[in-house]
Amino acid sequence: MAKNKPLIITIVAGVVLAFLVAATSASAPAGLRSGATAVGGIFVPLETFFYGISDNIRQSAQPAAQDTGADETAAAYRVMLMDYNEIKAENQRLKTLLEYKDNQPEKDLVTARVIGKEPGNWFEVFTIDVGANNGVQEDMAVVTPDGLAGRVEQVGPNWAKVMSVIDSRSRVPVIVERTRDVGVAGGPLGGDSVKELSMNYLPLDSDITAGDVVVTSGLGDLFPRGIPVGTVAAAKQDPKDTEISITPLVNFKSIYEVFVITEARETAAVVNDDITDHNAVIITSQSQPPTEPDTAPTQNGANTQSAPQDGAAPTAAPEDGAAPQTAAPDDTPTDTITPEDGIPAPVTPNDAPPQVIPPGNTDTEIVTPGAGNT
Amino acid sequence: MSVLITALIGIVAVVLQGSALSLFSVWGAQIDIVLLIILSMTLIEQTQTPVIFAMVFGALTDILYSPQVGFFALAYAACAGVAVYSLKQLPRINMATVILTGLAGSLIAQGICLLAAYVIGARFNLPEMFKAHILPQAVLTAALMLPVYYLAGRFSRRGYSR
């Protein structure tokens, strides 16, 4: 009996821990995880400290390896050079973050620092130093200036665990920007040194090619629409199967700072995305004779045209299928981009990319067959 | 005192593993310092104590970094338990035993992790995963077992962890 004591202890421990694994799964009540949540918060400063040290070592390793000088002055300069390179790299990262934040007025972003990563190869989960105290909640999207990083999986008072998009459990509703094909990007099946996502649930006749940009579709309300996810690395298509692999835009090997999107509002850029979804017509200024405007200019001077709610062709378009024509308030000649049959075609990056309308631009007009817009 | 020092070493090891060491990998393998410490303790003590420490350190790893509580705790505890039980059958420990303990310990721990991850919902390409991560990780753990066992042995002989 005494000889088998470790084995008995192991078996008992194994049963208890196996129960814990099952009990703390995502579907388990939040109360079961509250103890772990509280303990996790205690170690945040320690994690931040160690992660910072390793980050410094990693960044300074390259110049140190190149320089083999032995004298003290050279050593002092080496240290200074390391400091300089480290500060320069950090400055560059922070500058990029700041620019990104400034360019996203429609989103409430909480800046977070990565302080830890799941140590094994089983999950792609990283820990950040913001939590419920900063307004972070479960299932909020996490982004970097490069694109979508993942979503918040667990939240503590001052920390949160983020499931990366390359985690094998991750599923992200996406849309291919060029073809507007909707699908689901899933985490890799594991093992690849370069982590790639796979895209599933695509139409068999989809015309996706390598290099196409994939963004979040907004379906399911989990991720705000329009966040870049990756680019198509390879597309194998045959009548029976479609196999698409996506290279994520975020480099998960060197991820240090991220943004948690605590709130995303629909704005002009997003509305534009809607418009392309619903076969909108973007009317731009061209050198053609003006016609009578159908509607009055809006406050910013842009001429806005109402659209029917039933998804029919725009009111501006004549019933005979001729191209709808409008006039800008300043009588600038206008023209429409529309197919000959009068049914507007999807606007894709290859022909005419969706345009964000700058305030006060009187030469640009949007007509959509869907809901009325401004 | 010994429990306190071992606990402190364990905490530092867990935090190091999830923060500093997670940024470095050798041929797809990361240094599993917690497993190395647990296996070294097992080789030195050959009692049930390393099993309990394995469970505690594993639980801490789970709390800090893993999406599931019990994931690493289960793997480390089972690994330590099997190691203690197996080592008790051996007349003496030599260099080959130490290396084999590292290799087998890593494979057992990763095997349990794989099963637990599958239960949780993760899906893997097993042959690819074995080639790219599991085998390199086991080889790295086996290679690092000797120096870690040597250091732990010296540490133990000086009475720091008694």
Side-chain angles (χ1 to χ4, degrees):
Chain A
M1 179 68 184
K3 197 180 176 185
N4 289 334
K5 208 174 172 184
L7 190 66
I8 293 163
I9 288 175
T10 306
I11 291 167
V12 172
V15 170
V16 171
L17 292 168
F19 172 76
L20 266 177
V21 171
T24 56
S25 65
S27 56
L32 278 170
R33 286 180 280 167
S34 58
T37 300
V39 174
I42 299 168
F43 292 95
V44 168
L46 200 59
E47 289 173 81
T48 311
F49 174 73
F50 277 117
Y51 203 86
I53 286 178
S54 59
D55 184 15
N56 294 348
I57 292 168
R58 218 170 109 113
Q59 286 179 13
S60 57
Q62 191 62 30
Q66 288 168 354
D67 197 342
T68 53
D71 102 318
E72 285 181 13
T73 315
Y77 278 120
R78 269 206 308 276
V79 172
M80 283 169 69
L81 183 66
M82 285 177 201
D83 285 346
Y84 170 77
N85 285 335
E86 184 195 319
I87 292 165
K88 192 179 168 188
E90 188 179 15
N91 187 39
Q92 187 58 46
R93 287 205 316 267
L94 295 175
K95 194 178 167 186
T96 311
L97 285 173
L98 199 61
E99 280 171 6
Y100 179 80
K101 198 170 184 177
D102 287 345
N103 291 333
Q104 306 287 326
E106 77 280 5
K107 295 186 182 92
D108 287 345
L109 302 171
V110 174
T111 313
R113 194 179 282 265
V114 177
I115 55 168
K117 284 181 181 172
E118 196 264 347
N121 299 310
W122 314 105
F123 304 106
E124 292 292 339
V125 176
F126 58 88
T127 313
I128 53 175
D129 66 347
V130 295
N133 295 346
N134 308 87
V136 175
Q137 293 171 9
E138 279 185 21
D139 290 335
M140 282 180 170
V142 178
V143 296
T144 72
D146 296 325
L148 184 69
R151 69 178 169 89
V152 176
E153 192 176 14
Q154 286 174 30
V155 185
N158 56 348
W159 59 269
K161 286 179 195 168
V162 179
M163 182 203 288
S164 309
V165 289
I166 55 169
D167 190 291
S168 65
R169 299 166 299 153
S170 169
R171 298 288 178 271
V172 183
V174 292
I175 187 166
V176 181
E177 253 191 356
R178 183 179 61 84
T179 63
R180 311 310 292 173
D181 285 321
V182 177
V184 176
L189 290 174
D192 300 324
S193 52
V194 179
K195 299 275 186 182
E196 285 183 346
L197 305 167
S198 60
M199 192 168 169
N200 305 305
Y201 308 113
L202 279 164
L204 288 173
D205 60 346
S206 57
D207 178 32
I208 298 169
T209 55
D212 280 346
V213 178
V214 177
V215 301
T216 52
S217 66
L219 294 173
D221 288 336
L222 202 57
F223 299 98
R225 75 185 67 189
I227 302 171
V229 176
T231 53
V232 174
K236 291 178 193 168
Q237 288 165 299
D238 59 58
K240 289 182 181 175
D241 193 20
T242 306
E243 205 174 294
I244 307 288
S245 59
I246 303 166
T247 306
L249 291 170
V250 176
N251 181 4
F252 289 95
K253 283 183 181 170
S254 55
I255 187 167
Y256 301 106
E257 290 94 9
V258 293
F259 290 114
V260 182
I261 302 176
T262 53
E263 194 181 340
R265 294 171 290 275
E266 300 270 312
T267 60
V270 177
V271 170
N272 257 348
D273 196 37
D274 267 344
I275 290 161
T276 52
D277 277 347
H278 296 91
N279 297 341
V281 183
I282 296 181
I283 303 169
T284 51
S285 152
Q286 297 287 329
S287 56
Q288 271 199 6
T291 56
E292 283 298 313
D294 287 311
T295 54
T298 55
Q299 284 181 345
N300 66 3
N303 192 9
T304 308
Q305 191 163 355
S306 61
Q309 299 296 317
D310 57 3
T315 51
E319 286 182 10
D320 60 4
Q325 292 181 332
T326 55
D330 58 354
D331 284 341
T332 327
T334 59
D335 195 9
T336 57
I337 303 167
T338 178
E340 288 178 6
D341 60 3
I343 301 166
V347 180
T348 63
N350 279 356
D351 39 54
Q355 298 178 14
V356 178
I357 311 160
N361 185 345
T362 56
D363 295 335
T364 308
E365 182 178 2
I366 297 172
V367 179
T368 176
N373 58 79
T374 56
Chain B
M1 185 64 181
S2 65
V3 173
L4 185 68
I5 287 178
T6 312
L8 280 174
I9 290 170
I11 288 169
V12 171
V14 167
V15 175
L16 263 175
Q17 188 171 325
S19 52
L21 295 176
S22 68
L23 292 172
F24 303 97
S25 68
V26 185
W27 296 306
Q30 290 178 350
I31 300 169
D32 196 339
I33 195 167
V34 178
L35 183 66
L36 286 166
I37 289 172
I38 289 164
L39 290 175
S40 298
M41 279 174 69
T42 309
L43 283 164
I44 292 163
E45 300 211 3
Q46 296 187 27
T47 62
Q48 68 271 24
T49 316
V51 181
I52 295 161
F53 273 114
M55 207 163 70
V56 174
F57 295 162
L60 188 60
T61 310
D62 289 327
I63 289 167
L64 295 183
Y65 305 112
S66 160
Q68 302 289 299
V69 176
F71 182 77
F72 281 103
L74 180 64
Y76 289 152
C79 180
V82 172
V84 170
Y85 185 74
S86 308
L87 290 168
K88 274 191 181 294
Q89 319 298 323
L90 295 175
R92 60 189 289 269
I93 291 169
N94 54 26
M95 199 182 282
T97 316
V98 175
I99 292 171
L100 277 176
T101 304
L103 192 74
S106 178
L107 287 173
I108 291 169
Q110 290 189 83
I112 292 166
C113 281
L114 179 73
L115 283 175
Y118 187 86
V119 168
I120 291 163
R123 294 293 176 266
F124 305 102
N125 179 348
L126 196 56
E128 182 71 21
M129 196 76 182
F130 186 81
K131 195 175 70 180
H133 294 298
I134 297 174
L135 196 59
Q137 181 94 30
V139 171
L140 183 68
T141 307
L144 290 173
M145 263 311 289
L146 274 177
V148 174
Y149 173 66
Y150 173 76
L151 284 173
R154 282 183 69 94
F155 197 77
S156 179
R157 275 196 296 277
R158 289 186 179 215
Y160 293 130
S161 61
R162 287 204 186 109

